[in-house]
């Protein structure tokens, strides 16, 4: 189980909440917390997940809910 | 302002100018053509609203229908449509989007600004470490410095890594870490922690930890994690927002369609479509949940930042919520209420001057490294001339006999005295006694005890004044414990406890509490770690406390000052008050405006206030949580 923190960019608190929901529901993610104030996202990956691959999916899902958001990884 | 914000400011200004200009130009200029009249407004409208439409469309295509972009696009388009139908009145349609953008810009700016303010408060991260290489000072990444390396810290620089001073004298500013504004003097041999700012002299420091293990890194990690732990209020708000927007959207739809149909079909009146449509639009403008969703986390963030500035690290907004409801504070004695180090607290029945007696005691014990001899040396306070001491015999578990200046000095407990056949005078005060005999004659005793911190009594009183029950736990003997508790004004005290007994005691109190009342435990030692995690909120003394205690704790007091316990509670209370104010204010104003809107008593301007005005006021209110120095 690995936990990583990523810097993100998002416009508003509502969008941050949407990103969190989107990230949480991505396969390979056990837990995701978006911190709007610090502009970061903490992701806990499931065992054996390829973080790079999962993060690509997370970004894709986040873009579905908020087109402007960015995740740096 | 950043680039994007500047661009938006220009768009807002241009739109405002065009709209105002278009509305003051007399109709005769257009020669009566409604199309010509429309053109300047349309240009202004496109300038200000194009991105809202783009995003709204985009979101709809992705299946995200009900969000605030959609609301705004729909509302303003509706207003524009109404404008075309009525006598070419487009100002409102533009104003809706214009003020929405002003609100967004302000929100962006305010969040950026407060984010930066708060981060600056906690900005203790050193960027480099200086090491000497070939006679020159080289800046390296602190991550690459191995344990035991000598680093150089110049005046004005932050100490990057924990270590011990090898060479140099200086004063350190520890305010970012402890909230303590008095500078701390250090010299060769002093232990220093990273994050302090070196103020006066150059220091050579031998590192004792890796950067990743150093105080500064640990604190930063704590703070980073802190705002991720969400409170009940935050969960409530994000859930609320998730249901709220669709509800308002459907209500608006209902408001636009149902009343006219009812009027037409049942009451036989004119449907007044445009009137009800206008009311629905107002609904949509009012509904934007931004203020609400932003201001709660912002308040917590500011509160955590403000508390951090005072040397109180609160590891999450959830703990702030709990702290605010603290009813019982259970404190460990040693290290929390007392300094946890032995100090000479009295010299009694001395036949010679107290100072002389202390000097003899310190000299006799000068060869020993026992904590008691250390405290004797410290109380004596001056350099000891060890050549005055000869024939030292250590009597393990009893004391020392030595020749000082030719006199036979015996320093030790009552066992040593009875062994020497010297009658000693017992002490009525609590603590460890060092009896002294000089040349076979009793010369008095020195009382050594763990001294109560300067602020402990005041801290207990403050908490009790605020309606908090203070309880003291300790592993020490009953007599010492009760004596300390009495001096501090604590009536509930449990002594002779093993770590597991402490856990049981805390659990007992937890069972005893009622309703929302919360139980705090404050401790410092490694054996407190399990108790810290059992309590509703575990508070650790950070400066002297062990790493395990700091990790297990939910709140860390960086300067070990018990007064900060009450302060942490008061900061949390202030923060929670602001959170509640903001929730009530934001939801309240919106609901009132929604009702007025449905009744036809609100116009678009009131709606804009309900959106942007509430946001501005809520953000300003949230920032109050940052100022907690005098709470």
């Amino acid at each position: 189980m690995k936990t990583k923190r990523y810097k993100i960019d998002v416009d508003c608190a509502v969008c941050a909440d949407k990103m969190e929901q989107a990230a949480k529901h991505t396969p390979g993610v056990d837990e995701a917390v978006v911190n709007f104030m610090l502009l970061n996202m903490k992701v806990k990956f499931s065992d054996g997940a390829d973080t790079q691959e999962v993060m690509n999916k997370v970004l894709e899902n986040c873009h579905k809910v908020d087109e402007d958001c960015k995740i740096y990884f | 302002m950043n680039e994007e914000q500047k661009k938006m400011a220009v768009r807002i200004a241009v739109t405002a100018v065009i709209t105002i200009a278009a509305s003051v130009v007399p109709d005769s200029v257009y020669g009566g053509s409604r199309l010509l009249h429309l053109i300047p407004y349309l240009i202004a409208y496109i300038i200000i609203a194009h991105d809202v439409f783009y995003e709204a469309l985009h979101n709809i295509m992705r299946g995200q229908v009900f969000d605030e972009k959609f609301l705004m696009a729909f509302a303003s388009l509706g207003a524009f449509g109404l404008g075309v139908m009525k006598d070419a009145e487009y100002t409102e349609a533009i104003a809706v989007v214009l003020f929405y953008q002003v609100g967004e810009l302000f929100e962006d700016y305010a969040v950026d600004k407060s984010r930066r303010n708060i981060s600056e408060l906690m900005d203790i991260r050193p960027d480099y470490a200086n090491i000497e290489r070939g006679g020159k000072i080289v800046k390296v990444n602190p991550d690459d410095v191995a344990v035991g390396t000598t680093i150089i810290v110049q005046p004005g620089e932050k100490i990057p890594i924990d270590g011990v001073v090898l060479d140099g004298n200086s004063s350190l500013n520890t305010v970012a870490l402890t909230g303590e504004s008095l500078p701390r003097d250090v010299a060769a041999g002093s232990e220093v922690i990273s994050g302090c700012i070196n103020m006066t002299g150059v220091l050579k420091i031998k590192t004792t930890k890796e950067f990743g293990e150093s105080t500064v890194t640990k604190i930063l990690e704590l703070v980073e994690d802190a705002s991720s732990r969400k409170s009940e209020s935050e969960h409530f708000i994000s859930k609320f927002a998730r249901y709220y927007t669709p509800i308002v959207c459907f209500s608006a739809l209902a408001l636009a369609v149902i009343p006219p149909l009812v009027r037409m079909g049942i009451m036989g009146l004119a449907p007044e479509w445009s009137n009800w449509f206008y009311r629905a639009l107002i609904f949509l403008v009012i509904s934007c949940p931004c203020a609400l969703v932003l201001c709660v986390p912002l308040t917590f963030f500011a509160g955590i930042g403000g508390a951090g500035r005072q040397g109180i690290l609160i590891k999450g907004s959830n703990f702030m919520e709990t702290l605010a409801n603290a009813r019982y504070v259970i404190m460990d004695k040693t290290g929390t209420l007392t300094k946890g180090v032995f100090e000479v607290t009295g010299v009694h029945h001395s036949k010679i001057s107290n100072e002389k007696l202390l000097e003899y005691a310190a000299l006799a014990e000068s060869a020993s490294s026992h904590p008691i001899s250390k405290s004797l040396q410290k109380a004596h306070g001056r350099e000891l001339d060890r050549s005055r001491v000869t024939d030292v015999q250590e009597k393990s578990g009893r004391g020392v006999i030595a020749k000082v200046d030719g006199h036979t000095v015996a320093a030790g407990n009552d066992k040593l005295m009875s062994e020497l056949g010297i009658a000693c005078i017992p002490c009525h005060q609590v603590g460890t006694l060092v009896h002294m005999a000089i040349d076979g004659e009793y010369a008095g005793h020195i009382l050594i005890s763990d001294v109560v911190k300067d602020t402990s009594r005041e801290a207990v009183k403050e908490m009790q004044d605020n309606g908090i029950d203070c309880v003291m736990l300790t592993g020490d003997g009953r007599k010492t414990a009760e004596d300390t508790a009495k001096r501090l004004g604590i009536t509930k005290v449990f002594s002779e406890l093993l770590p597991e007994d402490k856990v049981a005691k805390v659990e007992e109190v937890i069972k005893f509490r009622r309703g929302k009342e919360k139980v705090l435990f404050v401790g410092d030692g490694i054996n407190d770690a399990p108790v810290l995690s059992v309590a509703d909120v575990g508070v650790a003394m950070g400066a002297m406390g062990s790493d395990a205690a700091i990790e297990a704790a939910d709140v860390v007091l960086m300067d070990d000052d018990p007064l900060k316990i009450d302060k942490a509670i008061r900061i949390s209370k202030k923060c929670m008050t602001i959170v509640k104010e903001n929730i009530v204010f934001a939801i309240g104003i919106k609901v009132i405006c929604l009702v007025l809107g449905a009744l036809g008593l609100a116009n678009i301007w009131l709606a804009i206030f309900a959106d942007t005005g509430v946001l501005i006021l809520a953000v300003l209110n949230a920032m109050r949580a940052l100022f907690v120095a005098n709470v």
Side-chain angles (χ1 to χ4, degrees):
Chain A
M1 216 158 38
K2 258 189 288 188
T3 304
K4 280 193 174 181
R5 211 189 296 267
Y6 300 92
K7 203 177 152 32
I8 59 164
D9 217 344
V10 61
D11 280 340
C12 73
V14 184
C15 315
D17 186 52
K18 283 184 193 161
M19 273 182 88
E20 183 173 296
Q21 294 304 318
K24 260 187 197 163
H25 294 122
T26 306
V29 175
D30 266 3
E31 180 64 41
V33 181
V34 170
N35 187 333
F36 177 58
M37 297 320 302
L38 290 172
L39 284 183
N40 66 33
M41 176 192 267
K42 204 170 150 184
V43 184
K44 204 182 203 181
F45 296 96
S46 319
D47 285 328
D50 176 2
T51 57
Q52 194 64 35
E53 221 169 83
V54 173
M55 284 313 290
N56 282 331
K57 278 266 173 232
V58 167
L59 183 62
E60 205 177 285
N61 286 344
C62 287
H63 275 168
K64 275 186 201 158
V65 293
D66 179 48
E67 202 211 341
D68 281 343
C69 71
K70 295 182 188 81
I71 306 175
Y72 303 95
F73 57 89
Chain B
M1 273 199 228
N2 62 28
E3 276 310 303
E4 245 172 80
Q5 290 167 348
K6 274 184 201 149
K7 242 191 250 166
M8 183 53 83
V10 170
R11 276 171 61 192
I12 289 168
V14 170
T15 309
V17 169
I18 296 179
T19 313
I20 294 169
S23 62
V24 295
V25 168
D27 281 356
S28 57
V29 173
Y30 304 116
S33 162
R34 291 187 75 168
L35 190 65
L36 267 182
H37 191 181
L38 175 65
I39 287 171
Y41 288 109
L42 203 57
I43 292 172
Y45 190 61
I46 290 170
I47 292 176
I48 200 71
H50 66 89
D51 54 341
V52 175
F53 277 97
Y54 174 76
E55 277 176 51
L57 271 179
H58 204 101
N59 286 345
I60 290 173
M61 286 193 305
R62 288 180 187 272
Q64 291 274 318
V65 181
F66 295 114
D67 65 356
E68 79 277 7
K69 292 283 183 334
F70 170 77
L71 292 185
M72 288 321 296
F74 191 74
S76 81
L77 201 61
F80 212 88
L82 277 184
V84 174
M85 285 200 297
K86 283 198 258 169
D87 27 334
E89 178 48 68
Y90 308 110
T91 333
E92 277 188 0
I94 293 172
V96 170
V97 193
L98 186 72
F99 279 95
Y100 168 72
Q101 300 282 33
V102 169
E104 287 280 283
L105 177 65
F106 174 80
E107 174 181 345
D108 225 37
Y109 180 71
V111 173
D112 252 19
K113 183 106 184 137
S114 30
R115 189 180 278 141
R116 220 166 313 140
N117 274 346
I118 298 166
S119 316
E120 258 166 37
L121 277 186
M122 295 307 296
D123 183 24
I124 46 176
R125 190 190 301 277
D127 307 315
Y128 59 87
N130 296 321
I131 55 173
E132 216 173 45
R133 217 176 262 160
K136 264 191 273 174
I137 290 177
V138 197
K139 281 184 183 170
V140 298
N141 186 335
D143 243 336
D144 298 335
V145 177
V147 176
T149 312
T150 305
I151 55 168
I152 292 157
V153 182
Q154 282 161 336
E157 289 182 332
K158 281 179 205 134
I159 296 176
I161 304 167
D162 295 3
V164 178
V165 177
L166 287 181
D167 193 26
N169 289 295
S170 184
S171 297
L172 299 184
N173 176 351
T174 63
V175 74
L177 289 173
T178 63
E180 168 66 68
S181 50
L182 261 180
R184 191 165 85 90
D185 290 324
V186 289
S190 313
E191 274 184 36
V192 290
I193 51 173
S194 46
C196 301
I197 299 166
N198 181 14
M199 298 207 296
T200 46
V202 178
L203 290 176
K204 274 192 180 178
I205 295 166
K206 187 176 167 174
T207 63
T208 50
K209 280 181 185 162
E210 279 174 35
F211 182 58
E213 290 294 305
S214 284
T215 310
V216 67
T217 317
K218 290 213 162 140
I219 291 175
L220 284 170
E221 260 170 38
L222 291 184
V223 175
E224 295 250 298
D225 277 336
S227 27
S228 308
R229 285 209 189 87
K230 287 178 192 162
S231 59
E232 294 281 317
S233 324
E234 277 166 282
H235 285 303
F236 166 70
I237 284 301
S238 47
K239 249 195 204 138
F240 182 84
R242 236 170 271 159
Y243 296 109
Y244 164 86
T245 317
I247 288 175
V248 176
C249 285
F250 283 116
S251 311
L253 188 67
L255 201 60
V257 177
I258 297 173
L261 287 182
V262 169
R263 284 174 68 94
M264 222 170 23
I266 300 172
M267 299 164 76
L269 297 164
E272 295 188 346
W273 283 105
S274 68
N275 181 13
W276 290 101
F277 189 67
Y278 185 74
R279 292 186 191 185
L281 289 183
I282 287 168
F283 241 63
L284 294 183
V285 176
I286 297 168
S287 70
C288 178
C290 284
L292 205 55
V293 179
L294 172 71
C295 64
V296 173
L298 183 64
T299 309
F300 279 118
F301 189 52
I304 289 173
R309 183 70 171 163
Q310 301 300 312
I312 302 166
L313 289 180
I314 300 174
K315 288 201 204 162
S317 5
N318 51 338
F319 301 125
M320 256 203 170
E321 223 164 29
T322 322
L323 270 176
N325 290 320
R327 174 74 175 75
Y328 299 96
V329 173
I330 306 172
M331 287 168 287
D332 183 43
K333 176 176 145 304
T334 315
T336 303
L337 291 167
T338 67
K339 289 183 179 167
V341 286
F342 288 104
E343 256 180 51
V344 171
T345 48
V347 180
H348 305 143
H349 311 291
S350 176
K351 298 273 187 320
I352 52 179
S353 84
N354 288 353
E355 220 150 282
K356 196 85 189 150
L357 193 77
L358 258 180
E359 188 183 359
Y360 276 149
L363 280 166
E365 299 247 11
S366 63
S368 162
S369 62
H370 194 273
I372 285 183
S373 48
K374 285 231 168 110
S375 57
L376 285 171
Q377 284 162 32
K378 201 171 143 222
H380 173 60
R382 268 163 290 152
E383 203 63 44
L384 291 170
D385 179 5
R386 292 209 188 175
S387 61
R388 289 162 63 188
V389 192
T390 50
D391 302 340
V392 182
Q393 304 168 46
E394 288 227 31
K395 304 271 186 187
S396 169
R398 282 158 291 178
V400 176
I401 302 173
K403 269 208 155 44
V404 179
D405 299 343
H407 300 288
T408 310
V409 176
N413 55 19
D414 44 1
K415 278 187 211 141
L416 182 75
M417 293 297 133
S418 63
E419 223 170 84
L420 296 174
I422 298 166
C424 54
I425 307 171
C427 190
H428 61 274
Q429 270 173 289
V430 185
T432 307
L433 284 181
V434 179
H435 293 286
M436 296 285 296
I438 299 172
D439 293 327
E441 210 170 301
Y442 191 69
H445 59 234
I446 299 167
L447 181 71
I448 294 172
S449 44
D450 185 4
V451 266
V452 168
K453 286 182 190 170
D454 304 335
T455 52
S456 290
R457 200 189 150 75
E458 200 185 328
V460 168
K461 193 176 170 325
E462 259 187 41
M463 283 189 271
Q464 284 168 343
D465 287 351
N466 287 336
I468 289 165
D469 265 353
C470 294
V471 180
M472 191 178 94
L473 302 184
T474 179
D476 287 3
R478 198 176 60 87
K479 211 175 143 200
T480 324
E482 274 171 7
D483 177 70
T484 311
K486 208 171 125 200
R487 273 191 287 155
L488 292 174
I490 299 177
T491 46
K492 289 194 194 81
V493 49
F494 300 98
S495 53
E496 290 165 21
L497 300 173
L498 299 170
E500 56 264 36
D501 300 335
K502 289 188 189 173
V503 175
K505 280 281 174 240
V506 173
E507 278 171 343
E508 220 170 88
V509 178
I510 290 178
K511 259 185 241 151
F512 188 63
R513 64 160 185 212
R514 275 166 305 175
K516 274 182 137 187
E517 296 175 346
K518 298 291 177 192
V519 178
L520 259 65
F521 177 80
V522 193
D524 77 310
I526 185 143
N527 55 4
D528 291 333
V531 204
L532 285 170
S533 29
V534 167
D536 292 323
V537 183
V539 183
M541 293 290 172
M544 276 204 343
S546 64
D547 286 356
I550 294 175
E551 249 153 61
D554 310 315
V555 177
V556 180
L557 306 179
M558 290 308 294
D559 60 357
D560 290 3
D561 184 349
L563 269 180
K564 292 279 167 74
I565 305 168
D566 191 54
K567 182 144 196 164
I569 296 173
R570 276 179 295 145
I571 289 175
S572 304
K573 280 191 174 151
K574 175 173 178 183
C575 194
M576 288 313 295
T577 310
I578 297 175
V579 165
K580 280 178 198 148
E581 280 167 10
N582 274 349
I583 292 179
V584 170
F585 175 67
I587 297 184
I589 295 277
K590 294 225 168 200
V591 169
I592 292 172
C593 290
L594 285 175
V595 171
L596 291 178
L599 295 175
L601 295 171
N603 59 14
I604 265 273
W605 302 105
L606 183 69
I608 288 167
F609 166 75
D611 185 29
T612 312
V614 167
L615 172 75
I616 293 173
L617 293 174
V619 168
L620 291 177
N621 195 26
M623 294 316 283
R624 279 174 47 223
L626 197 54
F627 306 105
V628 290
N630 299 314
V631 172

